[in-house]
């Protein structure tokens, strides 16, 4: 099955990536050319590090090329859950990191001139079950208390613009709902055009991207890493594993902490130009909707559904970026910033929230698309 995101960018691929053809010595080796690997490589190449990105396939053609690409901090009904499970400080950091990710993505798009159909949108979490309406109200209360906490908490020293969570009875969907939470200043884009923009910038910053280059092993030798890729070796000071699912077992044994689930998205051309906004159900089974404009003035309705579970963990110099619970559009930017700060020796206030060694996974429950 073709991905609209991939097929609609065939003609715009100005840069051609080659297979790796020799050994290299570099500062940083990023394994995986999806949105996570490219975002991390983008930030570090901008800071002047020598960066090499390796992908076993073509960039942006795996999960990040098959996503619904909503850029939102409303990851299902998560804030009430986070406050009750981890407390207000933790929940507020989760909120803030994802809010900053939305503006970071917009900053990258503007500063790098990436034409990727970025649009601000309202986000709706809706329910068709009258009995779940109280959950929506609890979530609105939770978002309000997080925004109050962040505004009053001097540690953050921030003036938070509210996402205006509101309970609405209609949200533009052509079927009856029992209610929805509407939030503003969320966004959507064309993920593959965005990833090509990142790749262009990485190249301009002197980074190298190799495709059809399969990493089979990573070994620590002295204080460096030796990455085996096709028939070659890369010696790197730092390695970031952004392969979506960690393909090495040690350190971390992440395979034993993760479960993989497949989910699906389909696109249908529609004449209705009024269906804007981004939509997701409040509970399982999840349905997720958004539209994107097509060249013929029609819109493509993208419907996602199905299931999955997936943090990152700095272990000295080797870093894993995974575990986004299917919210990798913002979380890839959050993790890219945390990893870059770790490598550059800078403190990052969100580190503890996403450290995969935290005792409990962030989300044990739903919100899968
Ligand atoms: C149907 C669906 C809808 C979704 N909707 C949303 C949404 O609306 N909003 C949102 O925030 N998130 C959404 N997500 C989740 C989001 O798409 C993912 O979290 C994100 O794309 C993960 O990006 P990644 O870079 O970590 O992984 P990938 O994009 O999978 O990139 C990993 C890369 O690593 C490469 N690789 C793997 N192994 C090796 C190896 N051994 N050697 C070299 N390269 C290797 C792969 O080829 C691949 O290119 C959705 C996901 C799905 C499936």
């Amino acid at each position: 099955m073709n991905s609209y995101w991939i097929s609609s960018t065939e003609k715009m691929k100005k840069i051609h990536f080659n297979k790796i053809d020799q050994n290299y010595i570099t500062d940083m080796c990023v394994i995986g050319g999806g949105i996570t690997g490219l975002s991390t490589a983008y930030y570090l190449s901008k800071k002047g590090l020598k960066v090499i990105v390796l992908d076993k396939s073509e960039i942006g053609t795996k999960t990040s090329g098959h996503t619904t690409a909503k850029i939102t901090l409303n990851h299902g009904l998560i804030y009430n859950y986070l406050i009750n499970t981890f407390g207000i400080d933790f929940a507020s950091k989760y909120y803030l990191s994802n809010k900053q990710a939305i503006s970071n993505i917009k900053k990258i798009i503007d500063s790098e001139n990436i034409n990727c159909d970025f649009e601000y949108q309202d986000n709706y979490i809706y329910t068709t079950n009258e009995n779940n309406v109280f959950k929506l109200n609890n979530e609105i209360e939770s978002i309000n208390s997080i925004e109050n906490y962040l505004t009053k908490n001097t540690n953050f020293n921030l003036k938070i613009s509210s996402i205006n969570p509101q309970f609405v009875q209609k949200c533009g969907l052509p079927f009856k709902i029992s209610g929805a939470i509407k939030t503003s200043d969320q966004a959507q884009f064309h993920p593959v055009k965005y990833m090509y923009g990142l790749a262009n910038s990485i190249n301009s910053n002197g980074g190298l991207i190799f495709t059809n280059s399969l990493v089979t092993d990573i070994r620590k030798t002295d204080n460096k890493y030796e990455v085996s890729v096709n028939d070659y070796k890369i010696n790197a000071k730092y390695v970031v594993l952004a392969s979506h699912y960690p393909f090495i077992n040690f350190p971390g044994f992440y395979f034993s902490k993760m479960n993989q689930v497949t989910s699906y998205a389909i696109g249908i051309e529609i004449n209705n130009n009024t269906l804007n906004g981004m939509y997701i159900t409040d509970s399982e089974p999840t349905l997720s909707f958004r539209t994107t404009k097509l060249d013929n003035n029609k819109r493509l309705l993208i419907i996602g559904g199905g299931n999955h579970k997936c943090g990152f963990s700095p272990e000295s110099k080797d870093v894993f970026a995974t575990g986004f619970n299917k919210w990798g559009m913002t979380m890839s930017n959050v993790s890219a910033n945390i990893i870059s700060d770790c490598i550059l020796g800078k403190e990052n206030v969100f580190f503890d929230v996403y450290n995969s060694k935290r005792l409990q996974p962030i989300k044990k429950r739903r919100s899968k698309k």
Side-chain angles (χ1 to χ4, degrees):
M1 197 177 283
N2 287 335
S3 152
Y4 167 73
W5 306 128
I6 296 169
S7 60
S8 60
T9 45
E10 284 305 318
K11 286 183 236 143
M12 64 163 284
K13 290 182 184 169
K14 297 190 196 97
I15 36 180
H16 178 70
F17 303 106
N18 296 314
K19 242 182 181 179
I20 190 152
D21 58 351
Q22 63 173 80
N23 297 333
Y24 283 92
I25 298 174
T26 186
D27 293 326
M28 169 90 208
C29 179
V30 178
I31 303 164
I35 193 167
T36 309
L38 293 169
S39 302
T40 311
Y42 167 78
Y43 281 121
L44 286 166
S45 67
K46 222 172 147 57
K47 289 285 176 194
L49 268 76
K50 276 165 68 182
V51 176
I52 292 181
V53 180
L54 302 170
D55 200 290
K56 67 177 179 184
S57 176
E58 296 295 331
I59 64 163
T61 53
K62 298 299 178 197
T63 322
S64 307
H66 294 82
T67 170
T68 42
K70 298 173 179 176
I71 313 167
T72 178
L73 58 82
N74 294 115
H75 300 169
L77 300 181
I78 195 166
Y79 293 104
N80 187 50
Y81 163 79
L82 288 181
I83 291 175
N84 289 334
T85 313
F86 298 100
I88 186 80
D89 191 72
F90 186 102
S92 300
K93 285 179 178 158
Y94 186 93
Y95 168 102
L96 185 58
S97 58
N98 282 283
K99 192 171 201 302
Q100 289 183 347
I102 301 172
S103 47
N104 290 340
I105 290 169
K106 180 74 170 80
K107 272 188 213 149
I108 294 174
I109 290 168
D110 289 345
S111 64
E112 306 296 331
N113 276 322
I114 303 175
N115 184 350
C116 61
D117 307 332
F118 179 96
E119 303 177 281
Y120 282 110
Q121 289 284 2
D122 292 332
N123 187 71
Y124 297 91
I125 305 174
Y126 70 90
T127 185
T128 52
N129 181 346
E130 202 59 44
N131 296 329
N132 284 352
V133 165
F134 79 97
K135 292 187 188 167
L136 303 190
N137 287 317
N138 287 345
E139 185 71 4
I140 292 173
E141 225 170 85
S142 301
I143 294 171
N144 283 331
S145 48
I146 286 172
E147 290 183 344
N148 281 336
Y149 179 82
L150 285 168
T151 307
K152 288 188 184 136
N153 191 317
T154 47
N155 284 340
F156 295 108
N157 203 13
L158 284 169
K159 176 134 183 43
I160 296 293
S161 61
S162 175
I163 58 168
N164 295 314
Q166 290 171 43
F167 182 81
V168 292
Q169 264 153 345
K170 287 190 177 155
C171 63
L173 286 171
F175 51 83
K176 191 171 166 353
I177 60 164
S178 302
I181 304 173
K182 177 184 177 187
T183 53
S184 54
D185 295 334
Q186 309 305 297
Q188 60 185 30
F189 64 0
H190 185 307
V192 177
K193 288 185 183 173
Y194 177 69
M195 285 186 280
Y196 265 86
L198 290 177
N200 262 324
S201 302
I202 295 164
N203 269 2
S204 310
N205 296 337
L208 298 173
I209 298 175
F210 296 107
T211 54
N212 298 301
S213 302
L214 174 72
V215 176
T216 48
D217 199 16
I218 307 169
R219 277 172 201 272
K220 202 169 181 176
T221 53
D222 302 325
N223 222 6
K224 296 209 168 162
Y225 292 89
E226 188 181 83
V227 176
S228 304
V229 44
N230 294 357
D231 295 330
Y232 300 99
K233 305 271 185 221
I234 294 184
N235 280 290
K237 285 190 207 145
Y238 305 97
V239 172
V240 172
L241 189 55
S243 55
H244 192 59
Y245 189 81
F247 61 89
I248 55 166
N249 298 339
F250 186 80
F253 295 100
Y254 290 98
F255 70 92
S256 65
K257 299 175 187 167
M258 295 170 67
N259 64 335
Q260 296 187 77
V261 182
T262 302
S263 89
Y264 307 89
I266 55 166
I268 304 163
E269 203 175 288
I270 54 167
N271 290 317
N272 178 348
N273 280 329
T274 57
L275 188 64
N276 271 313
M278 310 184 303
Y279 304 88
I280 192 165
T281 43
D282 67 311
S283 51
E284 302 277 358
T286 308
L287 272 179
S288 170
F289 309 94
R290 63 162 279 197
T291 62
T292 189
K293 63 173 189 294
L294 295 170
D295 291 341
N296 58 7
N297 278 336
K298 292 188 177 171
R299 287 188 83 85
L300 187 74
L301 172 65
I302 302 162
I303 307 174
N307 261 345
H308 199 301
K309 207 176 209 172
C310 275
F312 74 87
S313 162
E315 302 256 352
S316 59
K317 292 176 176 174
D318 37 304
V319 189
F320 296 86
T322 185
F324 302 148
N325 197 35
K326 293 205 72 203
W327 291 105
M329 297 299 107
T330 49
M331 298 287 260
S332 57
N333 184 277
V334 175
S335 68
N337 274 293
I338 299 175
I339 291 167
S340 302
D341 284 351
C342 286
I343 287 172
L344 297 169
K346 284 168 64 183
E347 201 186 323
N348 188 299
V349 287
F350 305 127
F351 179 91
D352 289 340
V353 173
Y354 297 101
N355 184 351
S356 67
K357 289 180 178 164
R358 65 187 178 262
L359 292 177
Q360 282 177 278
I362 283 188
K363 197 82 169 80
K364 297 183 283 203
R365 302 180 305 133
R366 63 158 304 269
S367 123
K368 326 279 166 34
K369 298 176 294 298

